[in-house]
Amino acid sequence: MVRKHVTGPFVLPVRDIVHRPGEMREHSLDVPSPAKWGEGLVSVVEGEPVAVDVRLESVHEGILASGSVDTEYTGICGRCLIDIAEPLEVEFQELFAYPGQEETDFEVQDDHVDLETLVREAVVLALPFQPVCQPDCPGLDPATGERLADRPGYEQRAPVDPRWAALQDFTTDHDDEAPRSRG
Ligand SMILES: [Zn+2]
């Protein structure tokens, strides 16, 4: 049998806590995503920084990994197709069983655990299926294809996300000279 050598950006050693229930170690990783994660309108692109804080706890059956992932997804708004980039934080918990136990998805290999599949699955499941640039994005004008949120006056009807307010102050300066109906 060929001895499997465990390598990768999300591989952590657990030799010092293996078969020592109650022992735990905490690790922080900050590595680039090794591939594009997600196939929908938004994804975590290859090379995007992925920060993982994880606690590895030795339990009777194996190593329990629990923690959180911080990264950013990019793509397009599902309504108006504008480019978007949003932070993503997701938590995970999974048991890495010792070899020879009942069928499991994750296994302690050669005194290491590889968090990559676990982290990737947690991130992909957390990606929005219908991402939007803002919660009330009005989408596109069906006749002209114009982005409705860009229309002068739109911001007067909709609540403004504080993150966009500064941008709108800037972009609407030029509208001051435009004629306005005042009832
Ligand atoms: Zn939008």
Side-chain angles (χ1 to χ4, degrees), residues 37-175:
W37 289 348
E39 298 295 332
L41 291 174
V42 292
S43 61
V44 174
V45 297
E46 182 176 350
E48 182 70 35
V50 178
V52 179
D53 286 313
V54 63
R55 187 179 69 186
L56 301 175
E57 184 178 358
S58 186
V59 296
H60 181 70
E61 303 86 358
I63 303 295
L64 185 65
S66 46
S68 61
V69 187
D70 274 288
T71 185
E72 183 180 273
Y73 66 78
T74 52
I76 57 172
C77 171
R79 295 182 194 161
C80 73
L81 311 182
I82 197 176
D83 288 340
I84 56 175
E86 294 287 341
L88 180 71
E89 180 174 357
V90 58
E91 297 188 345
F92 60 86
Q93 184 173 66
E94 196 70 50
L95 175 72
F96 286 77
Y98 293 129
Q101 308 242 341
E102 70 274 17
E103 203 64 30
T104 55
D105 291 336
F106 300 97
E107 219 173 49
V108 176
Q109 294 180 324
D110 194 22
D111 288 338
H112 289 75
V113 293
D114 185 355
L115 302 178
E116 181 172 335
T117 301
L118 173 58
V119 168
R120 184 185 70 236
E121 288 181 352
V123 166
V124 169
L125 281 174
L127 291 173
F129 186 64
Q130 294 286 354
V132 288
C133 60
Q134 58 196 68
D136 57 348
C137 173
L140 300 173
D141 185 315
T144 65
E146 179 189 9
R147 184 173 178 261
L148 293 174
D150 290 337
R151 280 198 176 159
Y154 168 75
E155 65 276 8
Q156 294 169 5
R157 299 193 303 271
V160 175
D161 184 316
R163 288 174 298 179
W164 295 98
L167 188 62
Q168 288 192 335
D169 285 347
F170 176 76
T171 56
T172 54
D173 278 347
H174 305 289
D175 295 338

